[in-house]
């Protein structure tokens, strides 16, 4: 019986540590893009260079998100746009932010608009894999993209995780009490 109880306690504590990355993500990021390739049109680059997107985001990273606005605050875009949407791919930890459609696998935009895809948003070192801009001069994709995290991610534990930890600690205490 004692061995079974110890194994049970170990499984509870191990289950808690495996799920420690799931939860709420809060991040403040600045994405800067420059050095443009022309995709269509006659211009030599966007009307603003570099294009900077400074934003704060708060979301649950346990499931995919499509075309959401809740939890996204664009602090200071230097390219005119009225509204932004975001999508999140939980499997690849990929965030997409766009002016028209943002789905878990990426985003789309038209003139004028913007789209960026950020990999590893739940980590301390996210990176941008894509940044596209379309304005009155043409459509462009950036070759040089930087992502600066204003503060480290602060995952908030899910209530079930805390309950598992409490149950594991209570079981350990109970098995120690029975032993004495």
């Amino acid at each position: 019986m004692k061995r079974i109880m110890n194994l049970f306690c170990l499984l509870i504590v191990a289950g808690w540590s495996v799920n420690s990355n799931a939860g709420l993500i809060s991040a403040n990021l600045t994405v800067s893009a420059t050095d443009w390739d022309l995709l269509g049109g006659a211009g030599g680059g966007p009307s603003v260079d570099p294009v900077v997107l400074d934003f704060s985001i708060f979301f649950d990273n346990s499931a995919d998100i499509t075309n959401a606005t809740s939890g996204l605050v664009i602090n200071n875009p230097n390219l005119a746009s009225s509204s932004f949407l975001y999508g999140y791919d939980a499997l690849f930890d990929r965030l997409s932010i766009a002016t028209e459609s943002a789905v878990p696998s990426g985003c789309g935009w038209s003139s004028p608009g913007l789209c960026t895809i950020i990999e590893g948003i739940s980590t301390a070192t996210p990176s941008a894999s894509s940044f596209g801009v379309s304005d009155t001069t043409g459509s462009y994709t950036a070759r040089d993209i930087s992502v600066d995290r204003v503060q480290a991610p602060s995952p908030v534990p899910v209530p079930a995780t805390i309950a598992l930890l409490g149950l594991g600690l209570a079981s350990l205490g109970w098995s120690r009490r029975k032993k004495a």
Side-chain angles (χ1 to χ4, degrees):
M1 179 69 174
K2 185 169 123 180
R3 285 185 183 170
I4 292 173
M5 184 55 82
N6 286 339
L7 181 61
F8 177 71
C9 294
L10 181 65
L11 288 174
I12 288 175
V13 171
W16 172 74
S17 64
V18 167
N19 196 22
S20 63
N21 286 335
L24 300 177
I25 298 299
S26 176
N28 296 320
L29 298 173
T30 299
V31 181
S32 179
T34 189
D35 193 13
W36 303 94
D37 282 332
L38 179 64
L39 297 177
S47 55
V48 176
D49 190 18
V51 175
V52 177
L53 182 62
D54 180 19
F55 65 94
S56 301
I57 191 159
F58 181 77
F59 66 97
D60 184 352
N61 71 346
S62 62
D64 289 353
I65 300 170
T66 301
N67 290 330
T69 57
S70 177
L72 176 66
V73 176
I74 304 296
N75 300 319
N76 190 18
N78 69 347
L79 188 67
S81 182
S82 57
S83 63
F84 288 86
L85 302 167
Y86 74 93
Y88 177 72
D89 184 331
L91 179 63
F92 295 105
D93 194 26
R94 176 183 301 138
L95 176 73
S96 56
I97 297 178
T99 51
E100 272 193 33
S101 68
V103 295
S105 60
C107 47
W109 75 97
S110 64
S111 186
L114 173 144
C115 166
T116 186
I117 298 174
I118 300 167
E119 309 287 342
I121 186 67
S122 301
T123 67
T125 56
S127 63
S129 61
S130 170
F131 199 111
V133 171
S134 185
D135 64 14
T136 56
T137 63
S139 297
Y140 309 92
T141 184
R143 286 183 277 191
D144 184 13
I145 311 167
S146 67
V147 177
D148 296 317
R149 182 178 287 281
V150 177
Q151 72 186 66
S154 56
V156 179
V158 224
T161 302
I162 295 171
L164 280 174
L165 176 63
L167 184 61
L169 291 173
S171 298
L172 280 173
W174 181 74
S175 68
R176 294 286 182 197
R177 184 173 176 215
K178 289 284 260 182
K179 186 178 181 179

